[in-house]
Amino acid sequence: MPARALPHAPSTSPAAPEHLPTLSAHLAHWAHHTPGRRAFTFAEHPSSGLRGSLRTLTWHRLDIRARAVAARLAETVASGERVALLCPQGADYVVGFLAALRAGFVAVPLFTPDLPGHDDRLAGVLADARPSAVLTTSGAVDSVRAFLDAHGLRPRVIVTDLVPDDQAGAPLPPAPDDQATAYLQYTSGSTRFPAGVEISHANVVANARQALTAYGADTRPVTMVGWLPLYHDMGLVLSVAAPVVRGLLSVLMDPVAFLRRPARWLQLLSDHPNALTAAPNFAYDYCAAVVSDEDKAGLRLDRVAVLANGSEPVRPETADRFHAAFAGQGLAADVHCPSYGLAEATVFVSAHRPGRPLCRYALDREALAAGKALTVAPDDPVAVLLASCGEPVGQSVRIVDPATGILLPAGEVGEIWVQGPNVGRGYAGRGPQTRRTFHARVGRLPGRWLRTGDLGTMLDGQLLVTGRLKDLIIVDGRNHYPQDIEATAQAAHRVIRPDRLAAFAVHAGRTTGDGTAAGAAIAAERAVIVAEHARGLTPKAGDRKEVAAAVRAAVSARHGLRLSEVLLVPPGAVPRTSSGKVSRALTCSRYLDGCYESLEQGTA
């Protein structure tokens, strides 16, 4: 079936230059050639209303602010030092990030201390990154200083919105080399072992171009609309880097504003024709479940160009529910673009192309667990439904046996390995981990390859992501994907909060301790589920036993897996990563540390 043409935007933008090596050079280009065009618009929602107040920076204005803050940094911090961004989501975050890059510093995109549940992570990352300066705003500076003092950290604090415009006339250091490190992208996993990926100026420009090409935004104008946090890899690349490279308008809102009223995101999509946006599975399910008919009234979603879904793996039923919920507002069925990426590759690796029907696969569960992708009928009881993440752009992807490093043929499940100009330099200060992850070799193929730690397969030239290698549950010699166990468990009883549970394996004896993803799973003998109960409920002991029994029965019947424990915990007790996904690793760590023993729980 031919691809549906993307809807036309009301105006065109000049062609993006292909020879510029850095984001700073692109910013200067657009400020010179299109100074009055809108660059970034931030929608603020101070009240409960659907529409927010808009604050916009033109390319000229953005350039002035970035150069002013860059000059202040150059006066304050030695060349090549690290600069952490502890700003709220908004225009000042974008200014601070671009300023750090222009001045030749290494940016460290982070968040303000008021992000609930992430104090330990913020402290751990700051201790690891050791920034010489922190950029923040006048509204957040008091909490930032208090946090730094409480943790014995003494970087210089610069308030971006208080730097005067005339500072932009001060001399700046020479433009950075494109191979130099532009920023550290910290992975969103366990708080105990933060790892900062070194992303060069060339990496981020290359990845922005790859993503723009994949989503059809390299030759036609789109408007980027997003609420993903800018400290998250996908939010940073799609909402900042890609618009700067292509000279596109980027419309931003705060993630908290989305969570409080998700229809605000849809309103921004409606207000900006030819919108390109991205979100994980839970956001689409959340909108489909809670957006009211009143909020749907007046929405025009027929002009949405791309709905990227960055979860791994992507559930096709999520796209179906979202489309069913908003088809009445004109939403096309072929704008869903399941995508795959990771911080070590800057972010983007592959995506389904817009304008084409979702590419669906029904795979045999038992065969998949054994490493074979065998198709079955979608209504077969053993079927696992997956949506493909399309094809890579500007990079190579191979499926490799993680134990032997041997290439696997199409239809066999192995580790996804990636090679391309977007692959980062390595983990800052972690030589052995860098060599193990970024310097892999594949047979006689030239060059180094990135080991992603993700499992997948290729079918019909399409990439299917099946799960995380380190999350794989191995009990009695059989493999189980945790997301499948979680889906069965949450459907087993209405008390369980959807997408607020974690399935993981614990070792009955001593762990392997070799530090590898495969080694972490080898000795697993017991499977555990920790699930949050729905808000507003206080389950009694009998209720907890009922829930545990229902979950055990469902998982046993569908997966042939005996659960060692089923713990029902209060809302908020299952930790999430900084990107909003459930952290199975941290949930397992807390379980082993006994953190859930003080909570009311049932273990039938």
Side-chain angles (χ1 to χ4, degrees):
M1 181 181 294
R4 179 181 63 86
L6 295 180
H8 290 289
S11 61
T12 59
S13 59
E18 296 184 0
H19 62 283
L20 298 179
T22 66
L23 293 183
S24 302
H26 282 88
L27 172 57
H29 171 87
W30 298 119
H32 176 74
H33 291 283
T34 60
R37 286 178 65 94
R38 292 179 297 163
F40 287 86
T41 292
F42 184 66
E44 297 177 320
H45 295 86
S47 65
S48 60
L50 190 62
R51 294 180 181 272
S53 58
L54 305 181
R55 176 192 174 193
T56 295
L57 292 176
T58 63
W59 289 108
H60 173 69
R61 183 70 184 150
L62 176 62
D63 183 56
I64 288 177
R65 293 303 303 150
R67 286 190 289 113
V69 176
R72 176 61 59 85
L73 278 170
E75 294 175 353
T76 309
V77 184
S79 177
E81 293 291 316
R82 295 170 182 172
V83 175
L85 280 80
L86 273 63
C87 299
Q89 184 108 334
D92 289 310
Y93 203 112
V94 178
V95 167
F97 177 72
L98 295 174
L101 269 56
R102 174 58 188 89
F105 300 108
V106 177
V108 186
L110 294 171
F111 42 87
T112 54
D114 57 359
L115 184 67
H118 291 281
D119 284 12
D120 290 344
R121 171 174 167 77
L122 181 57
V125 170
L126 288 172
D128 184 74
R130 302 185 304 277
S132 296
V134 164
L135 291 177
T136 189
T137 63
S138 54
V141 65
D142 290 342
S143 65
V144 167
R145 288 189 189 277
F147 184 87
L148 295 174
D149 290 343
H151 291 84
L153 302 170
R154 298 289 183 269
R156 297 290 298 273
V157 176
I158 297 173
V159 182
T160 56
D161 51 317
L162 297 185
V163 176
D165 285 354
D166 58 17
Q167 190 91 38
L172 289 172
D177 182 85
D178 66 339
Q179 297 303 313
T181 300
Y183 61 98
L184 298 184
Q185 181 65 63
Y186 274 84
T187 56
S188 58
S190 171
T191 63
R192 292 185 174 184
F193 306 104
V197 182
E198 294 183 331
I199 302 297
S200 73
H201 294 270
N203 289 154
V204 67
V205 170
N207 202 232
R209 288 174 177 158
Q210 291 164 343
L212 289 165
T213 299
Y215 296 126
D218 55 332
T219 58
R220 66 180 71 240
V222 299
T223 296
M224 316 300 273
V225 176
W227 57 265
L228 290 176
L230 297 183
Y231 55 80
H232 183 249
D233 47 14
M234 183 178 285
L236 189 63
V237 170
L238 286 186
S239 290
V240 179
V244 169
V245 166
R246 181 72 174 86
L248 302 170
L249 171 63
S250 180
V251 181
L252 298 165
M253 65 179 288
D254 193 293
V256 174
F258 163 76
L259 292 173
R260 289 176 177 170
R261 193 169 181 183
R264 292 165 169 166
W265 175 40
L266 306 180
Q267 187 64 58
L268 288 178
L269 295 177
S270 177
D271 291 343
H272 295 87
N274 221 33
L276 189 162
T277 193
N281 261 317
F282 89 84
Y284 294 106
D285 281 334
Y286 185 36
C287 287
V290 306
V291 173
S292 65
D293 290 340
E294 180 182 359
D295 282 347
K296 290 180 183 179
L299 288 178
R300 281 201 60 183
L301 301 180
D302 57 308
R303 299 172 294 180
V304 172
V306 174
L307 296 174
N309 186 331
S311 297
E312 307 103 22
V314 174
R315 300 193 294 260
E317 56 267 34
T318 294
D320 294 340
R321 283 191 292 265
F322 190 83
H323 179 257
F326 299 103
Q329 285 63 52
L331 183 69
D334 56 6
V335 296
H336 294 276
C337 296
S339 306
Y340 169 68
L342 67 163
E344 288 82 353
T346 305
V347 63
F348 173 83
V349 173
S350 68
H352 179 77
R353 303 299 186 263
R356 301 175 182 176
L358 208 62
C359 194
R360 305 162 183 265
Y361 288 87
L363 304 179
D364 184 284
R365 178 180 291 104
E366 292 292 328
L368 193 64
K372 304 287 185 180
L374 301 180
T375 57
V376 296
D379 58 352
D380 192 307
V382 302
V384 174
L385 303 180
L386 294 175
S388 85
C389 291
E391 305 162 359
V393 173
Q395 53 197 298
S396 299
V397 171
R398 298 289 186 271
I399 306 300
V400 179
D401 185 316
T404 66
I406 296 175
L407 280 174
L408 295 176
E412 292 199 17
V413 177
E415 186 179 5
I416 301 169
W417 289 23
V418 177
Q419 184 186 77
N422 53 301
V423 173
R425 297 159 55 93
Y427 297 114
R430 298 178 183 273
Q433 191 177 357
T434 292
R435 288 188 290 273
R436 188 166 57 243
T437 304
F438 288 83
H439 297 175
R441 298 284 182 175
V442 181
R444 295 183 179 180
L445 295 181
R448 296 170 174 173
W449 291 75
L450 169 68
R451 298 190 59 168
T452 68
D454 292 313
L455 294 170
T457 188
M458 299 293 293
L459 286 177
D460 307 320
Q462 303 286 303
L463 176 64
L464 276 76
V465 182
T466 59
R468 288 286 291 166
L469 181 58
K470 68 180 181 181
D471 288 344
L472 199 63
I473 297 173
I474 305 176
V475 176
D476 297 329
R478 296 181 63 204
N479 296 341
H480 302 272
Y481 288 99
Q483 67 271 10
D484 293 340
I485 305 300
E486 291 158 2
T488 299
Q490 72 182 26
H493 203 287
R494 60 181 180 80
V495 166
I496 297 175
R497 290 186 75 194
D499 299 321
R500 295 296 193 275
L501 70 166
F504 52 88
V506 294
H507 310 301
R510 182 174 57 86
T511 62
T512 62
D514 65 359
T516 66
I522 287 174
E525 296 182 3
R526 297 196 298 122
V528 175
I529 287 180
V530 177
E532 295 181 7
H533 63 70
R535 292 190 180 276
L537 296 178
T538 306
K540 298 177 181 179
D543 299 329
R544 295 176 183 279
K545 290 181 179 180
E546 175 188 317
V547 173
V551 170
R552 287 176 187 279
V555 170
S556 177
R558 190 167 181 81
H559 305 278
L561 175 66
R562 180 184 180 278
L563 295 175
S564 173
E565 288 188 272
V566 178
L567 308 185
L568 195 60
V569 298
V574 175
R576 303 179 76 79
T577 68
S578 58
S579 59
K581 301 175 184 177
V582 166
S583 174
R584 299 187 185 101
L586 188 52
T587 306
C588 179
S589 177
R590 291 184 178 179
Y591 168 82
L592 293 173
D593 289 344
C595 295
Y596 297 119
E597 291 178 1
S598 61
L599 301 174
E600 290 187 2
Q601 56 193 28
T603 59

